Amino acid sequence: MPSSRPASARTPDVSRPHAEAAAATRSFTRRHRPGAPRIIAGIAIALVAALVLSLLGGWHWVGSRLNKEDGWLTSAANTPADTWLILGSDERDGTAGGSADDTPGFRTDTILVLTKPKNGPSSLISIPRDSLTQVDGQYMKINAVAQLYGNQALVGTVEQITGQKIDHIAKIKFGGLTKVVDAIGGVQLCYDQTVSDVYSGLDWQAGCHDVDGTTALAFSRMRYADANGDFGRAQRQRQVISAIVSKATSKDVLGNPGKVLKLADAGLAALTVDSKTSPMTLLDMAFAFKDATGAKGVTGSVYWSDPDYQVDGVGSSVLLDDSRNTQLFSELAGGTHEAGTVGTLAEAG
């Protein structure tokens, strides 16, 4: 496997004046995509797994539908906590309604590290897709590592950043959202603006509407026509998450085994996991995800020292703060970090 480590470990002279770095962080906060739409599908899939396994006891059913893929996990030594790498992939899957910033080919647009310690709160921490890293002496953004050097190199890079072994991976395809929403018979969404956005494909009359999966996907992706940009999109994404969870756990769905199976089938079809993942592993991931995003969990992003670090041939990148991240994930794995929101974005807010 190609050697990989955070770029900041090899980059000289990375300091910037405090005022300049603070201004860059505020700019990054405005343009950063705090919750990419792929994660909506990821949450739904985790929920689906928990529903099927706990309500129907469908161990064999789920196991037979898991899309497993070799070549992800490294030979790094085990660390105390259970750790999942959750990826939102923008590889082409026939999804309509793409935006102008979608990248052709395979890029890991969303990178989340889910940690479940033996004791203490679970955590869900994002790594910006523009984080600067170095693989075999080549600088690049972390979202390009898998495409250029392979899946195992990406996992190794995340292990270098966190100091923790990745036990399992879950990769989500964007198109899964459409099928999940359709499987539960649509959801109700509300937005107080009238929108006709050519980039996302969203045509919306101000108010609340019952929508199908295609419209829910466009609703999640739209940002250019939103006066609040990425922050407005993040709010709408959280609304879609809430709507999916509410509908999927309603009596109408849970009381209908056919709908539960259709929902599970749609969710699992959009999910790829490592070769060691089992139905039990997926169930553990679902419950860890639920705990991490609950009131007693830890969420947020990694720490960085410069959100607008310029590198020739790479462009504006996020230079990570290695020492703070190592300490953060050590506390998360040990279950000693208090609940709440962490990372540079949280401190900047």
Side-chain angles (χ1 to χ4, degrees):
M1 182 189 74
S3 62
S4 60
R5 54 186 303 203
S8 52
R10 298 184 184 179
T11 306
D13 191 22
V14 298
S15 62
R16 299 179 67 182
H18 176 74
E20 182 184 355
T25 295
R26 288 193 294 270
S27 174
F28 178 83
T29 302
R30 287 193 296 269
R31 62 185 169 84
H32 180 56
R33 292 159 50 147
R38 283 83 171 166
I39 298 310
I40 298 172
I43 293 172
I45 288 166
L47 173 65
V48 162
L51 284 173
V52 173
L53 293 175
S54 61
L55 296 178
L56 302 182
W59 299 92
H60 176 73
W61 187 91
V62 172
S64 68
R65 284 162 173 77
L66 281 179
N67 300 312
K68 296 186 178 184
E69 191 172 83
D70 292 324
W72 282 95
L73 304 180
T74 74
S75 58
N78 290 329
T79 45
D82 292 327
T83 306
W84 291 264
L85 178 60
I86 303 175
L87 304 170
S89 168
D90 68 358
E91 59 184 305
R92 296 183 181 184
D93 59 0
T95 300
S99 64
D101 58 3
D102 285 333
T103 305
F106 169 53
R107 294 286 175 119
T108 42
D109 193 54
T110 300
I111 302 172
L112 293 171
V113 180
L114 174 65
T115 304
K116 179 185 177 182
K118 296 187 186 307
N119 297 289
S122 294
S123 62
L124 184 68
I125 307 299
S126 66
I127 299 176
R129 64 177 186 171
D130 290 340
S131 297
L132 185 65
T133 190
Q134 206 177 62
V135 180
D136 279 357
Q138 179 68 43
Y139 286 114
M140 67 189 69
K141 297 177 183 180
I142 194 171
N143 74 328
V145 171
Q147 183 184 38
L148 297 177
Y149 285 92
N151 298 334
Q152 197 174 79
L154 173 61
V155 172
T157 299
V158 174
E159 289 175 338
Q160 290 283 351
I161 293 170
T162 64
Q164 305 296 315
K165 178 178 175 58
I166 297 299
D167 298 302
H168 297 286
I169 69 98
K171 184 175 69 172
I172 316 299
K173 286 185 180 181
F174 203 171
L177 172 62
T178 301
K179 295 178 181 178
V180 166
V181 171
D182 286 341
I184 57 178
V187 295
Q188 185 179 82
L189 301 174
C190 300
Y191 186 53
D192 61 2
Q193 301 294 319
T194 296
V195 171
S196 180
D197 181 58
V198 296
Y199 297 104
S200 65
L202 180 65
D203 286 311
W204 187 269
Q205 292 295 316
C208 297
H209 305 283
D210 293 326
V211 304
D212 61 9
T214 299
T215 302
L217 178 61
F219 188 88
S220 302
R221 301 181 94 167
M222 188 272 289
R223 73 181 173 110
Y224 291 104
D226 192 321
N228 293 316
D230 284 342
F231 288 111
R233 175 165 63 176
Q235 291 174 340
R236 281 180 282 102
Q237 289 166 4
R238 289 192 291 271
Q239 183 184 161
V240 174
I241 292 171
S242 177
I244 290 174
V245 172
S246 178
K247 184 71 175 288
T249 55
S250 67
K251 292 181 179 179
D252 178 58
V253 173
L254 295 185
N256 187 330
K259 279 191 176 181
V260 173
L261 288 173
K262 185 178 179 181
L263 174 60
D265 203 29
L268 292 171
L271 177 69
T272 298
V273 296
D274 64 275
S275 58
K276 294 184 178 181
T277 290
S278 67
M280 186 63 192
T281 306
L282 204 60
L283 183 60
D284 286 342
M285 184 187 79
F287 290 141
F289 202 116
K290 180 180 178 181
D291 291 343
T293 54
K296 296 182 179 180
V298 183
T299 58
S301 70
V302 292
Y303 291 97
W304 57 77
S305 56
D306 190 338
D308 190 23
Y309 189 70
Q310 300 292 328
V311 179
D312 290 343
V314 179
S316 177
S317 305
V318 180
L319 188 65
L320 300 183
D321 188 329
D322 294 342
S323 59
R324 293 194 74 181
N325 289 327
T326 300
Q327 179 65 27
L328 170 65
F329 282 97
S330 176
E331 294 175 4
L332 295 175
T336 59
H337 201 293
E338 63 181 12
T341 306
V342 302
T344 302
L345 273 180
E347 293 181 351

